[in-house]
Amino acid sequence: MTPTLPTSAPIVIVGGGIIGMSTIYHLAHRGVPAVLLERRKIASGTTWHAAGIVGQLRDSAAQTELGKYTARLFRDLEEETGHSTGYKQNGTINIALGDVRHEQLLRTHDHAGRLGIPSEILSPQQVQEFWPSLVINDVQSGLYVPSNGQVNPLDVTVALSKGARQRGAQIFEDTPVEHLDIRDGKVVAVHTAQGAIATDKVVLAGGMWSHLFGKQHGITVPLHAAEHFYIVTEPVEGLSPEQPILNIVEERNYWKEDAGKLLIGGFEAHGKAWGQGGIAEDFEFDQLPFDMAHVEEDLTRMFARMPALEDMGIQTFFNGPESFTPDGRPYLGPVPEVQGVYLATGMNSNGILNSGGVGLTMAEWLLDGMPSRSMGPLLASRAQPFQANTYYNQARAAESVGFHYGISWAGRQVNSARGVRRVPLHHELVRAGAVMAERIGWEVPMYFDAKQPHWSDKPSLRWKPWSESVQQECLAARDAAVLLDQSMYAKIVVQGPDAVHVLNRVCGAQMDVPTGSSVYTQFLNERGGIEADVTVIRMDDNTFMVVTGHPSQQRDLFWIKSQAPKGLRFEVFDATSAYSLLTLQGPKSRDILQSLSSDDLSNDAFPFAAARQIDVAHARGWAIRRSFLGELGYELLLPSEFTASVHDALFEQGQPLGLRHMGMFAMNACRLEKGFRHFGHDIGEDDTPYESGLGFAVALDKADDFVGKTHVLEQHRKYGSNTPYRLVSIRLLGVTAQEGPYLIHNEPVFKGEDIVGHVTSGDWGFRLQTMVGLATLHVADGVSKAWIDEGGFEVQIAGQRYPIQAQLQPFYDPKGTLMRG
Ligand SMILES: Cc1cc2nc3c(=O)[nH]c(=O)nc-3n(C[C@H](O)[C@H](O)[C@H](O)COP(=O)(O)OP(=O)(O)OC[C@H]3O[C@@H](n4cnc5c(N)ncnc54)[C@H](O)[C@@H]3O)c2cc1C
């Protein structure tokens, strides 16, 4: 007898791959028996054919914890359900061929040590002891992580379904979800040919089907299927099941033992999108034709690396589809468009190793309202409306396949779907020598070099091909003036009689400020963690403009809407396209702007943090006395159509005074010298303002209650500013810009023999001519000035320790006199 669908369910999951199954399993463990609907058989989409490699190390401690959790789950599931998962801990070895990769492996070894994942640096000979037939003459080193391993993805999915069912979850195969019922912006039911299920929470875990399914409901799910290839040899005599998995990033391939055979997969630099015309109705445990011509180069590299492959014989040439997203990261959590709909999709060939952590986190989101740790880079709400465009996703997915491998460094570029979003000054900037990078569709000027306006794709972790240009831009900011085009930054208008109360609820700072003021503030979550780092301008009694980073355009809009108290009278809308944002900075900035304005720009009339509507050339716009560089300066918020004429006028007046364009690389170097935090790098959802050194931006005494207040108040009462985790400025003396080594990210910080923190971001500071960075330090009793002043700090970079100076104030203009002058 076919079981009948329930008429209602607390939560319905669409899709029975490993992600949907892990979600229902974790919900069941939390005592919530949800319903999962699978269009065909469980695991019949992408999951069944995955290679099943499981690594644990991630960029952050929080995400690494999820990686470790997944490995534990695979081990314990077997005992819980009696169903084997095929889990084995055979370890992974990453090898380095070139110098840059070698340095990266040494850095990863440091990072793994800090996060408690044992690892070992191997010599080429030691690599060969594990992989005897490998050609090692060009191998520099290997990084061995013994606790990584592999599983059988189909078995894991079955074990998860068993574990979920044992706790009351209901799983229905051959039950495609046809559509969602949405009323007043909220999901109310899920429809299938077998009937409807009333529910107010739906998880889209439909893998490569999710993009079109979402689009059908006005939900942006940026992903597309692309082909992924591997080959499997005939059985190899003597191949141990304990053979560690091998990764060769520079050659874009991975190698693993698979039931006595060797499985070798590749991630080409430019893959092939698949399913452009939609996915066949009867797609189930299917594979795709193997495109020999497409992967010939990759196969040639594999055979050159192990000539013995010739004798082993290839038994299987496999090709299967998987979903890839524009930035190579999954989409998780609530969507802004429809209340009650959550995404858990877009796994970019990491769905098996992410499955446990994703299921655990989705259950937290669905039941607790928020995940227990930062999921910032993976949020569904980071999707931009234009990313619902299917052609865009097709074009990018083919390249996203390649994000997996190849060298990751500051100059890594994408080549597909370029020029999609352009700032109003795009052509002027190109004429000035702008070298652009792509950021969520925007063409963003990274640096200016009129003589050679082209990227170099030769990776470097030290002096870069563009460093000389960046240096000139930084020195111009210090000695004359620079103009940055930050028009891609998001501008969100909050308007209405209760707008001030809405913002006072959402922001940590006092927002009831005089018209014509700007406020630097953070949006906080219930744990007091930072959800957004923004500047807000009060334009009149009832109108505020929130200026935030371009990646947060939808996210912050959604946050304001979802956190605003019910019943207040306000509107919130996206005005990003309506305004450009030109930032004029440097000691000559006032003279330049004053020469184009009849308004009084003197410090008395227009002090730091003021926001005024002023004349600029023949236009009018908002000028805000703020700086992300630490210089005297103005941000000009102009109606878009006036941008070009203001730009031209600024340069006509400014060039004789040394005005030049500045790109984002220089901006980053300057803000590091000035100790300004970058959201997503230095501060995020797990950091409170006090831990971030931003306690000055919290108004504990304001009348309106704000989200996160309970937590930050308690923390402040207990520790004052001396919280157990605290962000500080650091500098590394005695190294040169040319040779480095560079502070980049995640380098462990020691005091004596104890690891007391890590670097959150770093770079060469051109105005100070020294290596600068920010680091978060930790000591249980609280990080006090006295403890910092004791000194004795060292940073570990690629296995070597270097002394550093740490202090609470920035190294550039510690008292802020330039900016306020
Ligand atoms: C060749 C290859 C090798 C790989 N190797 C690895 C690896 O080593 N390690 C790793 O971590 N990852 C690997 N992956 C990636 C991994 O397989 C995927 O990331 C993972 O399986 C994705 O799981 P999912 O649940 O999101 O998608 P899927 O497994 O595709 O599941 C989605 C399910 O949703 C169902 N569905 C869709 N629409 C509907 C609807 N409307 N109603 C009901 N059901 C619906 C589909 O039928 C499907 O079963 C590999 C992938 C490939 C192709």
Side-chain angles (χ1 to χ4, degrees), residues 14-20 37-47 49-53 175-178 205-209 213 228-230 254 318 320-322 344-354:
V14 183
I18 197 165
I19 296 299
L37 306 175
E38 163 56 46
R39 51 178 272 286
R40 291 269 167 166
K41 296 286 178 259
I42 67 169
S44 66
T46 296
T47 296
H49 54 59
I53 297 168
T175 312
V177 174
E178 291 170 347
M208 60 193 174
W209 286 266
F213 188 83
H228 178 44
F229 302 85
Y230 59 66
Y254 58 87
F318 186 85
E322 156 71 330
T345 191
M347 292 295 142
N348 295 278
S349 223
N350 279 333
I352 310 305
L353 62 89
N354 281 336

Side-chain angles (χ1 to χ4, degrees), residues 13 27 31 72 154 161 380 383 391 464 524 573 670 678 783 820:
I13 295 159
L27 286 168
R72 277 200 309 276
L154 182 56
S161 73
Y391 293 139
K464 318 282 186 309
L524 306 181
F573 57 92
C670 290
H678 189 275
V783 178
R820 290 182 161 76

Side-chain angles (χ1 to χ4, degrees), residues 466-752:
W466 54 78
S467 294
E468 185 51 44
S469 304
V470 173
Q471 174 151 272
Q472 295 313 317
E473 292 167 22
C474 293
L475 298 183
R478 185 189 67 187
D479 302 332
V482 290
L483 187 78
L484 290 99
D485 192 331
Q486 293 175 276
S487 300
M488 60 282 176
Y489 276 42
K491 300 115 197 162
I492 299 165
V493 175
V494 185
Q495 199 167 36
D498 295 326
V500 68
H501 298 299
V502 170
L503 286 171
N504 254 344
R505 170 82 184 144
V506 170
C507 302
Q510 173 61 269
M511 304 311 296
D512 197 0
V513 292
T515 294
S517 311
S518 72
V519 181
Y520 170 60
T521 184
Q522 289 75 39
F523 299 175
L524 306 181
N525 58 38
E526 291 293 351
R527 292 195 304 267
I530 299 174
E531 292 285 334
D533 184 56
V534 303
T535 304
V536 183
I537 301 140
R538 187 165 202 174
M539 295 175 146
D540 63 40
D541 265 8
N542 296 338
T543 310
F544 294 79
M545 169 89 82
V546 178
V547 181
T548 184
H550 40 299
S552 299
Q553 185 174 344
Q554 297 305 311
R555 174 184 173 168
D556 290 1
L557 191 90
F558 177 45
W559 186 265
I560 296 169
K561 278 188 190 167
S562 60
Q563 301 297 320
K566 301 283 166 265
L568 293 189
R569 297 157 302 161
F570 77 104
E571 280 292 327
V572 48
F573 57 92
D574 184 359
T576 305
S577 307
Y579 293 90
S580 60
L581 183 63
L582 299 184
T583 305
L584 183 67
Q585 299 282 310
K588 301 280 171 55
S589 59
R590 181 182 285 131
D591 296 344
I592 297 170
L593 195 59
Q594 187 67 81
S595 69
L596 291 168
S597 182
S598 54
D599 297 272
D600 182 357
L601 303 184
S602 67
N603 202 34
D604 289 343
F606 195 167
F608 182 73
R612 306 266 187 271
Q613 272 195 292
I614 62 166
D615 293 352
V616 193
H618 294 141
R620 265 184 84 71
W622 281 88
I624 305 115
R625 265 289 300 274
R626 291 241 158 231
S627 173
F628 198 46
L629 310 181
E631 304 289 352
L632 168 69
Y634 304 82
E635 293 173 354
L636 302 175
L637 203 52
L638 304 162
S640 293
E641 67 272 31
F642 295 103
T643 320
S645 65
V646 170
H647 167 267
D648 293 352
L650 286 170
F651 269 88
E652 208 176 299
Q653 293 298 317
Q655 228 149 16
L657 298 177
L659 177 66
R660 57 177 294 159
H661 288 98
M662 179 185 256
M664 294 297 136
F665 283 140
M667 183 178 90
N668 189 52
C670 290
R671 70 96 193 165
L672 275 165
E673 289 174 307
K674 184 62 189 155
F676 286 148
R677 284 73 171 132
H678 189 275
F679 181 69
H681 281 97
D682 309 302
I683 54 174
E685 301 79 1
D686 290 341
D687 312 302
T688 69
Y690 291 108
E691 291 162 349
S692 307
L694 300 175
F696 66 88
V698 182
L700 290 173
D701 55 352
K702 69 179 178 180
D704 289 281
D705 210 8
F706 59 92
V707 183
K709 180 175 175 181
T710 313
H711 188 92
V712 289
L713 185 63
E714 195 185 311
Q715 188 179 52
H716 191 57
R717 274 201 194 123
K718 197 162 169 193
Y719 298 106
S721 294
N722 301 342
T723 47
Y725 288 86
R726 201 165 175 191
L727 201 61
V728 302
S729 285
I730 58 169
R731 71 175 161 189
L732 167 56
L733 300 173
V735 297
T736 66
Q738 273 71 21
E739 295 302 320
Y742 273 56
L743 295 173
I744 303 175
H745 179 51
N746 269 337
E747 296 85 355
V749 175
F750 286 78
K751 190 166 180 163

